[in-house]
């Protein structure tokens, strides 16, 4: 029994060592990486050995985030970029290639979550949300895939949302943009697969970020928790781990899929509590 326990511990150590270096020699871009999910994803990829270009519209915050990661020994760079602006996107990809040598991974995480009731939402609101959340994914994916196609393939992960799978009050623009990201992911996977590029999406549910803590009232949290089988919010690190898996060699045959990281929220139906 002791030998078995030692073997198990050794196996666990081996798995951890393998995990911590499974993206060695890869170069990644993570958009919206100054804070929240984007920073958690950038950190996870860096811890697994990837060199990472952190991109965000907020120049000061993304530079601070890169400095934080760089302090741990990670090979990182930062760039200020608006994913809805083609010139910024091209510069972002060119910077990754020039400063880090290549581009193997793109995580399109940048997005805005502005909410507005359908009858009150302005055209400006609608266009702004779609420009960042959808057009940004299109532009980044196209620019990255053109390079990847010339250099043997790569991995693209688009951050969608369960709001793209379920309707929600005030989410006409946001939910529609994320639903479109899910379809765009499938379209990209179909057309880019033959070029050696896999494209998948991660759809987070309620995640315990600074933004969520500020935006979700106690009533909102209670409503979510009542429908999450695990009865808790997720952690940014749990989303990041899912992204890292889709970027890894272990996911080499996973293409065009949507992975909900939501504690089971999207599959929740009538529960025993509802029947009391």
């Amino acid at each position: 029994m002791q030998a078995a326990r030692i073997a198990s511990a050794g196996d666990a150590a081996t798995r951890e060592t393998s995990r911590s270096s499974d993206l060695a020699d890869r170069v990644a871009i993570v958009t919206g990486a100054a804070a929240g999910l984007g920073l958690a994803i950038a950190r996870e990829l860096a811890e697994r050995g990837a060199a990472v270009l952190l991109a965000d519209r907020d120049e000061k915050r993304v530079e601070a985030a890169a400095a934080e990661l760089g302090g741990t020994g990670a090979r990182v760079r930062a760039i200020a970029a608006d994913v809805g602006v083609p010139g910024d996107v091209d510069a972002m990809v060119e910077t990754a290639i020039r400063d880090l040598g290549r581009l193997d991974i793109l995580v399109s995480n940048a997005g805005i979550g502005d909410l507005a009731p359908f009858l009150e939402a302005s055209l400006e609101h609608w266009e702004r949300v779609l420009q960042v959340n959808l057009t940004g994914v299109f532009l980044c994916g196209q620019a990255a895939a053109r390079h990847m196609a010339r250099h043997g393939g790569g991995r693209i992960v688009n951050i969608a949302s369960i709001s793209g799978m379920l309707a929600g009050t005030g989410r006409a623009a946001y939910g529609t943009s994320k639903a479109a990201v899910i379809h765009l992911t499938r379209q990209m996977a179909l057309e880019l697969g033959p070029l050696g590029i896999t494209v998948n999406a991660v759809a987070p549910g309620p995640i315990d970020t600074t933004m969520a803590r500020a935006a979700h009232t106690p009533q909102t949290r209670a409503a979510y928790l009542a429908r999450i089988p695990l009865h808790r919010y997720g952690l940014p690190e749990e989303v990041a781990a899912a992204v890292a898996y889709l970027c890894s060699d272990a996911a080499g045959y996973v293409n065009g899929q949507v992975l909900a990281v939501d504690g089971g929220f999207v599959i929740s139906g009538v529960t025993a509590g509802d029947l009391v």
Side-chain angles (χ1 to χ4, degrees):
M1 292 295 291
Q2 181 66 23
R5 285 197 294 272
I6 292 173
S8 296
D11 291 345
T14 299
R15 288 194 297 271
E16 179 60 24
T17 299
S18 176
R19 185 202 75 83
S20 65
S21 61
D22 62 358
L23 296 180
D25 302 322
R26 310 288 174 84
V27 173
I29 292 175
V30 180
T31 67
L37 288 183
L39 180 54
I41 292 166
R43 180 180 293 110
E44 180 73 14
L45 298 185
E47 288 178 352
R48 290 174 181 252
V52 185
L53 175 64
L54 287 74
D56 199 279
R57 288 190 297 180
D58 191 324
E59 183 173 9
K60 289 184 178 180
R61 292 184 73 192
V62 76
E63 288 180 351
E68 175 192 337
L69 293 186
T72 67
R75 188 176 172 219
V76 298
R77 297 289 188 278
I79 187 170
D82 185 332
V83 298
V85 177
D88 282 13
V89 172
D90 290 340
M92 180 181 70
V93 171
E94 291 166 4
T95 297
I97 296 166
R98 183 190 68 236
D99 291 357
L100 300 174
R102 53 191 290 169
L103 178 58
D104 306 287
I105 295 166
L106 167 69
V107 181
S108 280
N109 167 75
I112 54 178
D114 292 354
L115 305 181
F118 179 75
L119 293 180
E120 298 174 16
S122 66
L123 178 59
E124 178 185 13
H125 164 84
W126 172 268
E127 292 179 337
R128 182 175 67 253
V129 172
L130 266 67
Q131 179 69 15
V132 176
N133 293 5
L134 177 59
T135 302
V137 172
F138 167 78
L139 292 173
C140 291
Q142 196 174 62
R146 284 171 174 156
H147 172 79
M148 292 175 181
R150 294 193 297 267
H151 294 86
R155 299 276 191 270
I156 296 176
V157 179
N158 299 325
I159 304 302
S161 169
I162 59 168
S163 290
M165 306 165 75
L166 299 169
T169 300
R171 290 170 170 79
Y174 180 77
T176 299
S177 72
K178 293 301 186 178
V181 165
I182 289 171
H183 184 79
L184 179 59
T185 295
R186 294 169 176 152
Q187 189 68 40
M188 292 168 65
L190 177 69
E191 297 195 37
L192 299 179
L195 303 176
I197 303 168
T198 65
V199 188
N200 294 285
V202 169
I207 305 297
D208 192 21
T209 61
T210 300
M211 183 179 298
R213 287 194 293 271
H216 290 186
T217 66
Q219 292 79 10
T220 300
R221 293 185 70 89
Y224 273 125
L225 293 173
R227 286 291 182 269
I228 299 172
L230 295 184
H231 296 298
R232 67 174 178 86
Y233 275 43
L235 301 175
E237 293 79 11
E238 292 173 312
V239 177
V243 171
Y245 162 69
L246 293 172
C247 293
S248 72
D249 290 340
Y253 201 53
V254 180
N255 192 35
Q257 303 305 305
V258 182
L259 176 56
V261 182
D262 69 342
F265 182 84
V266 297
I267 55 89
S268 179
V270 175
T271 67
D274 296 320
L275 303 177
V276 175

